[in-house]
Amino acid sequence: QKSAEFDIGCGIKLSLELIEKLDYVVRGLHHFKNKKSDKFINFNDPKATVTDLDYFREWTLDQFAKTIENETVDIIAHPTLLPVCLRNSKKEVFTDEWKSDLIKLAAMHEVALEINNRFQVPDKEFVTECLKYGVNISLGSSGIKKEEVGVLDYPLSLVKSLEIPEFLIFPNNNI
């Protein structure tokens, strides 16, 4: 099957011709908009800082909502990926309300949320909430290097430990 991951929030529209060539479309947040300068900051930039967590939460949830409601998307990649500067602050950043809003949005629009091997997100608690709402789960490697492509150790460990039923694993095929 053919799929591709595209960035959320960067303003690039995919052509219908490209979308029709894909079996499914994956979209993920890889940057955020700086509140003061309107510049986009890459999540992997070690020099990036986030000074306003409320703004960050609001902006990211708004980007997910706009994408899910207005764009072609089958899977949201690494839904709880954070900028490098916040990766040790997941509990502070992702409030119960934020997580619930994203999960309900995905459930309402039948969009799968990915368990990502490279970044090892989301955590077990988030995936458990997804299952309560019947959200489909996708397993992704985010393989950048050839040897990383298709490596699913972390996602498969969550599938096993949470006993995720096969019918909730996108695209509902055997794994």
Side-chain angles (χ1 to χ4, degrees):
Q1 293 192 337
K2 296 180 298 277
S3 68
E5 182 177 335
F6 300 96
D7 205 12
I8 291 174
C10 62
I12 297 172
K13 296 286 183 190
L14 301 179
S15 71
L16 188 56
E17 179 184 0
L18 174 61
I19 290 171
E20 288 174 348
K21 290 179 181 177
L22 300 172
D23 295 303
Y24 50 94
V25 175
V26 182
R27 297 187 186 252
L29 269 177
H30 304 100
H31 66 269
F32 67 98
K33 194 177 232 182
N34 185 307
K35 184 178 182 179
K36 293 179 182 174
S37 70
D38 258 3
K39 286 184 180 179
F40 285 98
I41 299 168
N42 188 299
F43 277 16
N44 290 318
D45 181 350
K47 296 176 186 171
T49 59
V50 177
T51 56
D52 187 340
L53 287 182
D54 289 331
Y55 168 78
F56 180 80
R57 278 189 289 270
E58 181 182 314
W59 189 86
T60 55
L61 191 59
D62 182 58
Q63 294 306 305
F64 284 133
K66 285 178 182 175
T67 298
I68 289 171
E69 292 171 349
N70 301 310
E71 302 289 338
T72 300
V73 59
D74 299 297
I75 300 167
I76 295 294
H78 42 69
T80 59
L81 179 64
L82 287 168
V84 171
C85 64
L86 294 176
R87 290 189 184 157
N88 292 324
S89 307
K90 282 186 268 194
K91 298 270 187 220
E92 285 178 47
V93 177
F94 297 124
T95 63
D96 290 342
E97 180 183 5
W98 186 95
K99 291 185 282 189
S100 178
D101 287 348
L102 177 57
I103 291 166
K104 288 176 183 175
L105 188 65
M108 184 185 330
H109 294 277
E110 299 180 357
V111 172
L113 297 176
E114 178 197 60
I115 302 173
N116 184 276
N117 193 73
R118 179 174 181 222
F119 297 109
Q120 298 198 352
V121 295
D123 62 20
K124 193 173 191 175
E125 178 187 320
F126 184 90
V127 177
T128 300
E129 285 300 306
C130 290
L131 299 176
K132 288 179 186 176
Y133 286 92
V135 172
N136 282 331
I137 301 299
S138 168
L139 312 180
S141 63
S142 272
I144 302 300
K145 298 175 186 163
K146 183 177 170 181
E147 60 273 9
E148 296 172 336
V149 174
V151 175
L152 299 172
D153 298 343
Y154 177 73
L156 289 172
S157 73
L158 286 184
V159 167
K160 184 177 181 179
S161 69
L162 294 173
E163 298 178 355
I164 298 174
E166 194 175 302
F167 70 88
L168 284 179
I169 298 174
F170 184 91
N172 308 103
N173 293 335
N174 292 333
I175 58 169

